Amino acid sequence: MTTERFDRVIARADRVMRQLDERDGAVRDAARRERQRLNNDLVRRFARVGVAIGVVSLITIIVGLIVPIGMFGFLAAVGIAIGIAAVLGFMPSQSRGPAAPPADLPNGQMVQRFDSYIYRQRAALPAPAQAKLDAISSILPSLRQTLERIDDLNPEAQDARRLMSTHLPSLIDRYVNVPPAYRSQKDGEDVTVDERLVEGLEAGRAALAEISDKLARSDVQALETQGRFIKSRYGEERIDG
């Protein structure tokens, strides 16, 4: 009984510490970005509903000016407007569950969808893997800023897109499909499923960080080149009367 009580105390302490940790750092930032995405989705839904109701109202007014519609016609128009509003309001704009971003999204949207995907999958992974996801999440804002300005066919962008749409989601999804009882078993290289997941996530994090750093350094070099040109071209010139 003492051992069981001790285990319960430790488990409760772990939950409390995890909750405290999630209030700060990468998890907090990822949660804030996810809330912002959900809020933006709600705004788009309300906008669609408003446009639909406006169109139905305009059509009703035009028809009423041509042919008297009467009370029943007015009620029918109200019913149509309510039906359209309900369909547009409850129609899912994207998958409700964790889903990998489609491969045909533009760069900026690809980063956002991948950010949402790893945030939603985080709870299904063990603590070491969650730490790797947090590290990946912290890279995404700056990566999005650079990827949004370059073409989708850029080689660096292509590597990042494959990681976010295929390789990393496939790794996470395959792990989730493994029954928990098998995740601690070691393979032929003496590595468990949990350890293999952490290794894969760390490799993906390093690759995304390298891509982000390379793109940022390219922007810095472009700025330095432009600055040197302006200095050499105009720095020593004098404007005569």
Side-chain angles (χ1 to χ4, degrees):
M1 292 181 63
T2 302
T3 302
E4 293 177 357
R5 187 180 299 109
F6 179 78
D7 291 339
R8 288 197 298 270
V9 171
I10 293 298
R12 183 176 182 278
D14 288 340
R15 288 195 301 271
V16 172
M17 293 302 296
R18 185 164 57 250
Q19 291 171 355
L20 291 175
D21 290 340
E22 290 180 354
R23 294 178 183 176
D24 298 313
V27 180
R28 178 198 58 197
D29 295 337
R32 176 182 52 77
R33 292 194 297 271
E34 183 68 10
R35 285 194 300 270
Q36 184 176 3
R37 284 188 288 267
L38 294 176
N39 291 337
N40 291 339
D41 181 63
L42 288 176
V43 170
R44 288 191 294 269
R45 288 174 184 273
F46 283 123
R48 290 197 299 266
V49 170
V51 170
I53 293 177
V55 170
V56 172
S57 300
L58 181 60
I59 293 175
T60 303
I61 292 172
I62 294 174
V63 172
L65 293 175
I66 299 174
V67 179
I69 60 176
M71 180 59 67
F72 290 105
F74 174 76
L75 293 177
V78 171
I80 293 174
I82 293 175
I84 294 176
V87 170
L88 294 177
F90 291 99
M91 180 184 298
S93 58
Q94 64 182 36
S95 176
R96 292 297 185 184
D104 58 349
L105 287 177
N107 287 340
Q109 296 181 28
M110 172 78 71
V111 178
Q112 289 195 76
R113 289 288 293 273
F114 178 69
D115 191 15
S116 178
Y117 167 78
I118 63 175
Y119 175 78
R120 296 185 181 194
Q121 286 283 39
R122 186 180 186 278
L125 305 185
Q130 290 180 1
K132 298 301 179 183
L133 282 189
D134 296 343
I136 293 174
S137 180
S138 65
I139 299 171
L140 297 181
S142 60
L143 179 63
R144 177 190 172 192
Q145 183 178 357
T146 53
L147 285 181
E148 280 182 329
R149 296 183 291 98
I150 64 177
D151 189 83
D152 294 354
L153 299 180
N154 179 283
E156 301 296 335
Q158 286 289 303
D159 288 339
R161 291 171 61 85
R162 279 191 291 269
L163 280 166
M164 292 185 291
S165 66
T166 303
H167 300 317
L168 287 172
S170 295
L171 175 70
I172 295 172
D173 291 342
R174 290 174 188 271
Y175 173 84
V176 172
N177 291 334
V178 175
Y182 290 84
R183 293 175 182 173
S184 60
Q185 295 183 4
K186 296 185 177 182
D187 57 20
E189 298 180 353
D190 201 32
V191 178
T192 66
V193 174
D194 285 352
E195 292 170 345
R196 190 70 71 185
L197 172 67
V198 172
E199 289 179 353
L201 292 176
E202 171 57 23
R205 182 209 63 77
L208 287 175
E210 182 179 354
I211 293 171
S212 181
D213 181 71
K214 186 173 182 179
L215 292 174
R217 289 183 181 277
S218 177
D219 291 334
V220 171
Q221 291 173 358
L223 174 64
E224 292 176 352
T225 301
Q226 186 68 15
R228 292 194 190 97
F229 166 76
I230 293 175
K231 181 179 179 180
S232 62
R233 178 66 178 82
Y234 300 103
E236 301 300 329
E237 282 194 359
R238 298 292 183 268
I239 300 178
D240 296 331

